[in-house]
Amino acid sequence: MIRHIKTAQAASAGSNDGAVTKAVEALLAKVESGGDKAVRELSAQFDKLDRSSYRLTKSEIDDAINSLTKREREDLDFAQDQVRRFAEAQKASLKDLEIETLPGIVLGHRNVPIQNVGCYVPGGKYPLLASAHMTVLTARVAGCERIITCAPPFKGQISQKIVAAQALAGADEIYCLGGVQAIAAMAYGTETIEPVDMLAGPGNAYVAEAKRLLFGKVGIDLFAGPTETLVIADDSVDGEIVATDLLGQAEHGINSPAVLITNSEKLACDTLDEIKRLLTILPTAEIAGKAWEDFGEIVLCDTIDEMVSEADRVASEHVQVMTRDPDYFLNKMRNYGALFLGARTNVAFGDKVIGTNHTLPTNKAARYTGGLWVGKFLKTCTYQRILTDEASALIGAYSSRLCLMEGFAGHAEQANIRVRRYGGRNIPYATAVDPIDA
């Protein structure tokens, strides 16, 4: 039996806000029609940064890199090395394919990098420089030809650490632009910014809605909502570590869901007590506490299989498993953005440094997609060739009949003309090709 020790007090954090949609539509239209002038006006209005050009110069980029301390540079390099290494391994697992399915019939596919990619790195509330590794660097490993990136100013100034991370990750163009105006500029293009083919990277509700509205004109990585975390734990761990991991993600924002699924009532109660204690000392307690109050849950299950079922129902972005047998959940669970197996790891490792990508599905999208990875920046494109006249006539005969079964005479004639030319048969116009043995 499944019981709730604590339930969320607020509606789903991912519910659509019509006012946000209306505001974003107006901002997108302004940039689409107004170009650079509109981008400048909106940047000055929302980010208090007014420049004639928002593309950073080489000197500004070099200054940002040089502003890093030795320790900061080493830490950034280490994190990017981990992300790069895993992305390279992922790419190596993707193989081009060619097979002769019948004598003279060759089919294949190639993994083709998306040519122009725009990466957004959030930085208005916190300078989330890790998003540069996850987007820019992953696109670079994929082989994308042109990678541009936007990040808002931090407190009215260029965010030096974000810019350094963007540059070190391999960005070709770096813009100090935030919000909807940045997304619109990359998607539509302006007089000075060439448009991109795909947008990637997280952002606030307005950025996420801009990406959603632009999907179709450009590709996007994911439909992103507020950060979510789910901890699955048994009595092999204690309330302090569970509470720490729940609040560690709840601090992202006041609408960030944090859920515990456990089969231990004692752990559930201990976790509640530890959350109360930690909220008295956590510097971000105002945000994390509100998120926990409104969107925090504790679910008590009787069995391990109930825990698996409930976790798949939640379909969380981040799923941390701290049980005696974490691999049971690895083998049984189907709906999750990323798994963090065992108490030795945690979501913050994935967010910042371990190497897996932190751009992950939210709002139950884990039911149908995984997160951002090198494959998102590749198009798997098929091709075919026919090597012999006999093969062309063979496929043509089947195609002719199948096309006419659907009523497509013009399609059938594409097949018929090849049966005539390569098979030497006199096929009446817009008529199905009879089998040779008929």
Side-chain angles (χ1 to χ4, degrees), residues 8 35 45 111 137 158 194 201 247 303 313 318 339 353 364 371:
Q45 177 184 346
N111 294 299
L137 198 154
I158 294 170
E194 289 294 319
L247 294 178
T303 68
R313 182 193 67 79
H318 306 104
L339 285 179
V353 68
K364 294 186 181 292

Side-chain angles (χ1 to χ4, degrees), residues 98 100 102-106 384-392:
E98 186 170 282
E100 191 169 4
L102 291 168
I105 307 293
V106 176
Q384 58 172 274
R385 67 167 66 90
I386 297 181
L387 304 179
T388 66
D389 292 351
E390 294 80 5
S392 182

Side-chain angles (χ1 to χ4, degrees), residues 144-164:
C144 299
E145 184 176 311
R146 171 176 169 258
I147 304 167
I148 74 172
T149 183
C150 289
F154 186 63
K155 298 180 179 178
Q157 301 295 321
I158 294 170
S159 182
Q160 299 280 69
K161 289 181 174 61
I162 287 181
V163 172

Side-chain angles (χ1 to χ4, degrees), residues 2-294:
I2 296 172
R3 293 187 290 134
H4 277 77
I5 303 298
K6 181 190 182 304
T7 57
Q9 300 302 308
S12 169
S15 58
N16 191 45
D17 187 333
V20 171
T21 299
K22 185 175 180 180
V24 171
E25 286 175 337
L27 294 171
L28 291 175
K30 184 170 185 176
V31 173
E32 184 180 19
S33 62
D36 284 333
K37 182 175 183 291
V39 168
R40 184 173 183 176
E41 290 173 356
L42 293 173
S43 184
Q45 177 184 346
F46 293 118
D47 290 331
K48 312 304 179 192
L49 184 66
D50 187 6
R51 292 169 56 115
S52 58
S53 172
Y54 289 87
R55 181 173 179 177
L56 301 189
T57 64
K58 184 179 184 303
S59 175
E60 288 175 315
I61 294 168
D62 289 343
D63 287 346
I65 294 172
N66 293 333
S67 73
L68 298 173
T69 65
K70 183 175 183 293
R71 179 75 271 161
E72 287 171 339
R73 175 63 187 268
E74 289 174 353
D75 288 346
L76 266 180
D77 287 343
F78 179 86
Q80 294 196 349
D81 284 346
Q82 309 321 304
V83 175
R84 183 183 296 105
R85 184 174 293 116
F86 189 62
E88 288 173 345
Q90 288 181 312
K91 187 180 180 185
S93 74
L94 298 171
K95 304 295 184 182
D96 290 350
L97 169 69
E98 186 170 282
I99 181 173
E100 191 169 4
T101 55
L102 291 168
I105 307 293
V106 176
L107 309 180
H109 76 227
R110 295 178 60 239
N111 294 299
V112 181
I114 293 171
Q115 189 173 359
N116 295 285
V117 173
C119 299
Y120 187 78
V121 179
K125 187 191 301 180
Y126 303 110
L128 298 180
L129 54 100
S131 290
H133 325 328
M134 306 300 176
T135 55
V136 177
L137 198 154
T138 306
R140 181 58 67 205
V141 170
C144 299
E145 184 176 311
R146 171 176 169 258
I147 304 167
I148 74 172
T149 183
C150 289
F154 186 63
K155 298 180 179 178
Q157 301 295 321
I158 294 170
S159 182
Q160 299 280 69
K161 289 181 174 61
I162 287 181
V163 172
Q166 291 167 322
L168 294 172
D172 297 302
E173 302 166 26
I174 299 176
Y175 296 85
C176 189
L177 277 176
V180 175
Q181 62 271 24
I183 300 298
M186 291 191 286
Y188 293 126
T190 70
E191 298 91 330
T192 59
I193 302 173
E194 289 294 319
V196 301
D197 305 310
M198 175 182 173
L199 293 168
N204 63 18
Y206 292 87
V207 167
E209 182 64 4
K211 288 171 63 181
R212 188 185 73 83
L213 291 170
L214 288 165
F215 179 57
K217 178 174 179 59
V218 293
I220 66 170
D221 50 355
L222 297 166
F223 294 114
T227 292
E228 306 163 351
T229 196
L230 166 63
V231 175
I232 301 171
D234 61 20
D235 61 6
S236 64
V237 293
D238 58 66
E240 181 185 27
I241 196 168
V242 173
T244 298
D245 290 337
L246 290 169
L247 294 178
Q249 292 300 302
E251 74 175 0
H252 266 283
I254 60 171
N255 56 355
S256 291
V259 180
L260 168 63
I261 294 175
T262 183
N263 58 355
S264 168
E265 187 165 3
K266 181 178 186 304
L267 179 66
C269 295
D270 288 349
T271 298
L272 277 173
D273 290 340
E274 283 296 323
I275 285 174
K276 291 177 183 176
R277 182 182 69 83
L278 291 173
L279 285 174
T280 67
I281 58 176
L282 181 66
T284 53
E286 183 177 355
I287 295 171
K290 181 64 174 171
W292 176 249
E293 178 184 355
D294 288 348

